[in-house]
Amino acid sequence: AGVVRPTDVVLDMYAGIGYYTLPVVKHGGVAFVHACEWNEFAVDALRYNVSQNGVAERVAVHEGDCRVIVPRLGVEFDRVIL
């Protein structure tokens, strides 16, 4: 988390249940995370974890293929987690 800045917008391309999304937003204090995941069970768990950790206002969960989703977002990212 020491590599990120409070103004960073982060893309987590394969978010799973939030292995990296949650620490980077909670402990790294980044401005926003776009978390992509296509496994419906992992997406459910990710949404639950984001909510339970009180960071829903700083995380957007995108369900589907990140190869399709990311270009449609039209966002410039400061950091990308693969």
Side-chain angles (χ1 to χ4, degrees):
V3 218
V4 294
R5 298 178 306 253
T7 56
D8 283 351
V9 175
V10 177
L11 169 64
D12 189 349
M13 292 184 74
Y14 308 99
I17 64 169
Y19 305 107
Y20 299 108
T21 297
L22 294 172
V24 81
V25 76
K26 277 201 72 115
H27 303 295
V30 299
F32 202 82
V33 177
H34 289 271
C36 295
E37 179 55 50
W38 65 1
N39 179 303
E40 63 184 280
F41 301 107
V43 168
D44 289 342
L46 175 59
R47 287 189 173 123
Y48 175 82
N49 291 336
V50 165
S51 173
Q52 289 298 302
N53 280 277
V55 294
E57 72 283 349
R58 293 190 296 147
V59 177
V61 177
H62 304 284
E63 185 173 359
D65 189 339
C66 62
R67 296 173 298 180
V68 175
I69 293 168
V70 172
R72 292 181 181 167
L73 293 176
V75 176
E76 186 173 316
F77 303 101
D78 300 297
R79 304 276 186 253
V80 176
I81 301 169
L82 297 174

